[in-house]
Amino acid sequence: MSRVVAPIEAIRLTYGIVLRQLVTRGRLVALALVGAVVAGVSIAVGVAGDPSDPLETGVRLVADLGFTTLVPIVALVFASASLGDMREDGTLVYLWLRPMDRWPVVIGAWLAALTVSVPLTLVPLAVAAVAVDGGGALVGATILAGVVGVIAYTALFVLVGLLLRNPIVWGLGYILIWEGIVAAFGDFAARLAIRGYTRSIITAVTDIDLDLGDLALGGAIVVPLVASGVALLLASMRLRSMDVA
């Protein structure tokens, strides 16, 4: 009888397999270029002149470029592929050959997506925050909101990658249509937009008002983290019920 793989070992095993599958030259180069554009625009803004309010300029730049485009797109690409690609090409079945529970597989895949997404998003956003000379409040708010945003988006898109075919299309629909348009028309829709929580964190820390940024700091941090846990739980349940053979 095969030895049951312990959860920590299962997480480590899945993490290594998924990380190797995610880290391709094409993905890294393409998304690093997006991050470089964000950082480059911010540096240009910082050196082009002396804005009357560099903090407000920096907040709007980071929120509109970083948390509207960079963070969700990077998270979508890597998180949806973490298990979604393995499901599509049939290689997920090889994890099934090992006697281990399903939730460590989800956690390992999510951690692999985080490992790639965090440096590709937080480094250029931190550079952007420093470049516009908005002060320590902007840098701190950017890093805090970035961490919360990456955690939430990656958890959501791991689930999407297991639930739906063509997760990139569905993920872009969520980012561009739901978060970009629908969320502006009502409180309920706004509460289902991760972008609203990241913008609320920046608003709460810097006191610069942003659209959708009307939540208290505690709620803006806790709610997406709790939602991330729920998304990972649902992904584990989905994985347990899937026929991957």
Side-chain angles (χ1 to χ4, degrees):
M1 189 176 197
S2 300
R3 178 180 66 88
V4 176
V5 180
I8 295 298
E9 185 179 349
I11 291 172
R12 180 193 60 78
L13 174 67
T14 305
Y15 175 85
I17 292 172
V18 173
L19 188 62
R20 287 192 295 272
Q21 169 239 325
L22 288 179
V23 179
T24 65
R25 180 177 299 178
R27 283 180 179 144
L28 292 178
V29 169
L31 295 173
L33 286 175
V34 175
V37 169
V38 173
V41 169
S42 303
I43 292 171
V45 170
V47 302
D50 183 21
S52 58
D53 191 344
L55 177 58
E56 181 172 359
T57 300
V59 165
R60 298 193 181 281
L61 185 64
V62 168
D64 291 340
L65 281 180
F67 297 119
T68 297
T69 304
L70 181 62
V71 172
I73 294 298
V74 170
L76 171 62
V77 169
F78 289 107
S80 66
S82 61
L83 292 175
D85 281 3
M86 297 178 72
R87 183 196 69 172
E88 292 290 337
D89 63 21
T91 56
L92 189 57
V93 70
Y94 294 110
L95 288 175
W96 259 229
L97 298 177
R98 297 176 179 268
M100 59 189 186
D101 204 347
R102 301 311 180 222
W103 68 264
V105 174
V106 170
I107 297 299
W110 173 63
L111 290 174
L114 271 180
T115 298
V116 185
S117 299
V118 165
L120 285 174
T121 54
L122 294 192
V123 170
L125 287 180
V127 171
V130 172
V132 297
D133 197 23
L138 176 59
V139 176
T142 298
I143 293 174
L144 178 59
V147 169
V148 172
V150 173
I151 289 173
Y153 279 116
T154 50
L156 172 63
F157 292 136
V158 166
L159 174 60
V160 171
L162 286 175
L163 288 177
L164 303 170
R165 303 284 180 179
N166 302 314
I168 294 291
V169 174
W170 288 99
L172 286 174
Y174 170 76
I175 293 166
L176 299 176
I177 298 174
W178 187 274
E179 292 200 336
I181 300 173
V182 178
F185 290 99
D187 287 343
F188 176 76
R191 297 300 178 260
L192 297 178
I194 296 171
R195 183 184 303 174
Y197 296 93
T198 57
R199 293 169 75 89
S200 293
I201 292 172
I202 297 178
T203 293
V205 175
T206 64
D207 290 326
I208 301 296
D209 289 335
L210 294 171
D211 293 338
L212 302 181
D214 57 349
L215 296 172
L217 180 60
I221 295 172
V222 172
V223 171
L225 296 183
V226 171
S228 300
V230 172
L232 294 174
L233 175 61
L234 293 175
S236 300
M237 295 169 62
R238 169 59 176 163
L239 199 57
R240 191 176 297 115
S241 65
M242 283 177 61
D243 180 10
V244 299

